[in-house]
Amino acid sequence: MRKKLVVGNWKMHGSRAANAALLSGLKEQGPWSAEVAVCVPFPYLAETALALTGQAVLLGAQDCSAFEQGAYTGEVSSAMLADLGCRYVIVGHSERRAYHHESDQLVADKAKAALAHGVTPIVCVGETLAEREAGQTETVVKRQLAAVIHTLTHCIGEIVLAYEPVWAIGTGLTASPEQAQSVHAVLRTQLHAATQKSDAMRILYGGSVKPDNAAQLFAQADIDGGLIGGAALKAADFAVICRAAN
Ligand code: PGA
């Protein structure tokens, strides 16, 4: 039985005051039987780590460098994330693939760097609307995952995978539970061919998960929780989603 995981992706939102209010709201609403994490902007990691002391909510970041250390201005290494207490780091989010031109190989290298420091990468894959309409969904997500499998080899079983159809992110359009499940099943089959641990691996769904659609999505056989953007910024909404994953 896989323990469900719900991850809030705050993206580039927040302030010290707003974060404090959100985190104290979460404290009032929890704990949940699902595993819960928040991926916060880099400048707030240390303060969030402190605020989460004694709580079951885990800390995560939204990106990391593929490099170990050195002259990489503006980059943040996975060793630094580990140092700050991060349990998770999102890599390959479609916003980074699109706006920062991150390739499948770079995403795989980032996942490898994270694992090397004991930070679990949440690797995002997903197709654009044009790719879906062209019937390329499977090809695209399999290509994105294949790069990670190829790079991590026997460590692939250590990642969390997130299926996030690009057309559903921040748009209010959600993949139907059946649409999501069918892609998750494809991804699980691909993982199965690569590792004996595939049945224990968590595959999250992300893309306009809201309090009113979370339970149906999480009820699907291969959906093991969610990666939540907009709805993670309101403690009450996020709490309902976490409860739906119980
Ligand atoms: P959304 O974002 O829930 O606002 O659609 C999800 C994500 O990008 O991880």
Side-chain angles (χ1 to χ4, degrees):
M1 187 68 185
R2 296 181 288 269
K3 186 170 186 173
K4 291 240 186 325
L5 169 63
V6 179
V7 180
N9 173 13
W10 290 6
K11 308 193 180 184
M12 199 172 72
H13 293 288
S15 65
R16 296 178 73 192
N19 302 347
L22 178 51
L23 291 167
S24 83
L26 288 184
K27 195 172 184 174
E28 281 165 26
Q29 304 264 356
W32 302 277
S33 57
E35 195 180 323
V36 174
V38 287
C39 292
V40 312
F42 291 136
Y44 300 126
L45 283 171
E47 204 164 53
T48 304
L50 272 181
L52 292 176
T53 308
Q55 278 189 68
V57 177
L58 297 165
L59 183 66
Q62 300 171 15
D63 185 33
C64 68
S65 175
F67 300 108
E68 194 53 37
Q69 63 168 345
Y72 301 104
T73 303
E75 292 273 76
V76 173
S77 73
S78 52
M80 294 171 187
L81 299 183
D83 199 18
L84 285 166
C86 287
R87 174 81 175 74
Y88 291 107
V89 60
I90 298 169
V91 297
H93 191 281
S94 62
E95 287 151 15
R96 294 210 60 89
R97 291 181 190 261
Y99 307 144
H100 301 272
H101 311 290
E102 294 195 4
S103 65
D104 295 341
Q105 188 56 52
L106 180 63
V107 172
D109 290 341
K110 289 183 173 197
K112 188 173 183 179
L115 278 181
H117 292 280
V119 181
T120 300
I122 299 171
V123 178
C124 302
V125 299
E127 81 288 3
T128 62
L129 186 58
E131 288 163 343
R132 173 162 284 263
E133 286 175 345
Q136 293 169 349
T137 299
E138 272 194 35
T139 314
V140 169
V141 297
K142 282 165 98 172
R143 188 202 71 221
Q144 290 171 333
L145 178 56
V148 186
I149 291 172
H150 181 76
T151 297
L152 297 188
T153 60
H154 62 280
C155 293
I156 188 66
E158 307 303 318
I159 72 164
V160 169
L161 189 60
Y163 169 55
E164 295 208 307
V166 179
W167 49 272
I169 295 176
T171 57
L173 296 172
T174 318
S176 68
E178 297 71 27
Q179 277 175 324
Q181 166 58 28
S182 83
V183 178
H184 281 233
V186 165
L187 293 169
R188 178 116 31 222
T189 302
Q190 190 178 0
L191 289 171
H192 190 66
T195 172
Q196 291 175 342
K197 293 188 182 170
S198 61
D199 285 340
M201 291 179 70
R202 288 175 299 185
I203 309 178
L204 312 183
Y205 170 79
S208 298
V209 179
K210 304 287 177 215
D212 60 357
N213 61 20
Q216 259 192 312
L217 286 159
F218 298 164
Q220 303 301 308
D222 289 292
I223 300 185
D224 307 308
L227 183 54
I228 320 298
L233 298 174
K234 286 190 194 142
D237 286 359
F238 191 60
V240 172
I241 295 170
C242 293
R243 224 167 286 134
N246 275 353

